[in-house]
Amino acid sequence: MLTIAVSKGRIFEDALPLLAEAGIVPTDDPKTCRKLILATTRSDVQLVIIRATDVPTFVEYGAADLGIAGKDVLIEHGAESLYEPLDLNIACCRLMTAAHKDAPPLSGRIRVATKYVKIAQRYFANQGIQAEIIKLYGSMELAPLVGLADCIVDLVDTGNTLRANDLEPRELIMNISSRLVVNKAAMKMKHEAISALLTQFEKTLANR
Ligand code: AMP
């Protein structure tokens, strides 16, 4: 049995067609079903539905053989213990700084609200900017509006969320896409099944 860890939301929606090309279709509708382990049309593959930030942990410990996770999550987690054989080119977006549209360019010591504490620390250190990082778990856009932070570091796709909150994107930190990650032991123990899946994904991606 191969277990693939995936999070609900954008990544899952973009991953479904890719999985379907490999003959992997959940037998329950993941939108309405509350099951955390989903059987698929392939009797040798099951999906576990978890939070995006937990995907590297499940794969690292071998609770899932494979996972699909954003590069943002993988870098923040520190995923050296995982193989990352494939850029799936799905759920593409940008990790950016953003500030109030009327705020002057950032200078001096600044406060930054984000869930990407490590990435933000590294980014501002490299820029030579003194930054106090405030960890938040959601609604980052609120922080500059209520004086909690001078700017945020968050994912930007269309920019609609920023615009709706009078914020604007400032600096690009990195482009993000979702990656396939593989547990190192599973790569050895289940090599045949995993490499067949990798080949199938590669074929689908090449035809896109
Ligand atoms: P948008 O309004 O289209 O720029 O999307 C921004 C919001 O969606 C922010 O709350 C982001 O954290 C979230 N978001 C954007 N792209 C992704 C992605 N690829 N994966 C997860 N969350 C995302």
Side-chain angles (χ1 to χ4, degrees), residues 103-111 124 128-131 150-151 170:
L106 301 173
S107 61
R109 189 177 162 78
I110 60 165
R111 281 207 311 236
F124 287 106
I129 296 172
Q130 267 202 308
D150 302 294
C151 73
R170 292 276 172 99

Side-chain angles (χ1 to χ4, degrees), residues 151-198:
C151 73
I152 63 172
V153 167
D154 197 11
L155 298 178
V156 181
D157 182 12
T158 61
N160 288 340
T161 307
L162 293 180
R163 262 190 302 280
N165 291 291
D166 293 329
L167 304 182
E168 64 180 14
R170 292 276 172 99
E171 307 288 331
L172 173 69
I173 299 178
M174 64 183 87
N175 288 306
I176 300 293
S177 56
S178 288
R179 314 297 168 100
L180 187 74
V181 287
V182 184
N183 174 269
K184 284 191 173 170
M187 191 66 134
K188 287 200 191 93
M189 309 287 288
K190 303 182 180 180
H191 189 260
E192 213 171 304
I194 290 176
S195 49
L197 203 57
L198 284 176

